[in-house]
Amino acid sequence: MPSDADIVLLSLLAEQPRHGYDLDRVIEQRGYRQWTSLAFSSVYYLLKRLSERGLLEPDEGSQGRRTVFRVTAAGHRELRRAAGERVLAPAPPCSGVLPALNAYPRLDDPELAALLAQRAEALVKRLDELRALRAQVDEEHALAIFDYEILRQEADLAWTRTLLKKAGSDED
């Protein structure tokens, strides 16, 4: 099963052939690192792995660090299959905050309230960053990704503020 990072690379290369540095630039520009683990060094590793699986191939005459890759027919099929599966499957919540709440016997624990206040501040900052990044893109699918993540973070902030109120904290 392809990883989220595999799907991102395949989809970017399905748009147009690119080399690793160009892929990294687009990943950064579109804010994809906000929701997937795609470090610069992993781009080249993934290109190699996807090539070995027959999902990518180098463009004619291109080689070395600036090898331009394109998606093969098998890569297009795999991308459609994997992307279709991801669209159909609702993702379960995996935030570390959910199991962490079990460590506090009561919501009005002063330590928890202080941490939740810090979490709310971090979420506000994150939302500001996401909105600034969103303003820099114009690709329809990238905008949709930002809209989804902004709504998710807004919901997290609302949930965190609700917990703060239950904890009796003035901070939110």
Side-chain angles (χ1 to χ4, degrees), residues 79-97:
L79 175 59
R80 283 201 179 274
R81 185 194 62 73
E85 286 175 2
R86 295 291 201 303
V87 169
L88 289 174
C94 58
S95 175
V97 70

Side-chain angles (χ1 to χ4, degrees), residues 40-54:
F40 178 74
S41 59
S42 65
V43 168
Y44 290 97
Y45 167 77
L46 291 171
L47 287 170
K48 181 180 180 208
R49 195 181 81 203
L50 293 169
S51 293
E52 288 170 352
R53 291 180 52 207

Side-chain angles (χ1 to χ4, degrees), residues 5-138:
D6 293 338
I7 292 172
V8 168
L9 285 189
L10 285 170
S11 65
L12 291 175
L13 291 167
E15 288 177 8
Q16 69 183 58
R18 294 182 160 101
H19 54 76
Y21 180 79
D22 191 30
L23 282 165
D24 188 68
R25 184 186 56 77
V26 173
I27 289 165
E28 186 65 34
Q29 254 180 352
R30 294 186 188 175
Y32 289 174
R33 287 203 175 91
Q34 302 293 320
W35 54 268
T36 190
S37 58
L38 258 171
F40 178 74
S41 59
S42 65
V43 168
Y44 290 97
Y45 167 77
L46 291 171
L47 287 170
K48 181 180 180 208
R49 195 181 81 203
L50 293 169
S51 293
E52 288 170 352
R53 291 180 52 207
L55 304 177
L56 299 178
E57 62 188 6
D59 257 1
E60 287 184 35
S62 108
Q63 58 186 4
R65 294 287 281 169
R66 296 288 182 165
T67 300
V68 174
F69 290 90
R70 61 187 164 114
V71 180
T72 63
H76 282 286
R77 285 191 302 275
E78 182 68 10
L79 175 59
R80 283 201 179 274
R81 185 194 62 73
E85 286 175 2
R86 295 291 201 303
V87 169
L88 289 174
C94 58
S95 175
V97 70
L98 301 179
L101 284 178
N102 289 315
Y104 299 92
R106 300 176 46 90
L107 288 179
D108 62 355
D109 182 306
E111 182 182 348
L112 177 60
L115 292 169
L116 288 171
Q118 290 175 22
R119 178 183 180 80
E121 289 173 19
L123 287 165
V124 168
K125 182 179 176 185
R126 172 111 166 103
L127 279 162
D128 290 343
E129 291 168 358
L130 286 169
R131 290 179 180 123
L133 283 169
R134 187 191 186 284
Q136 298 173 27
V137 299
D138 57 3

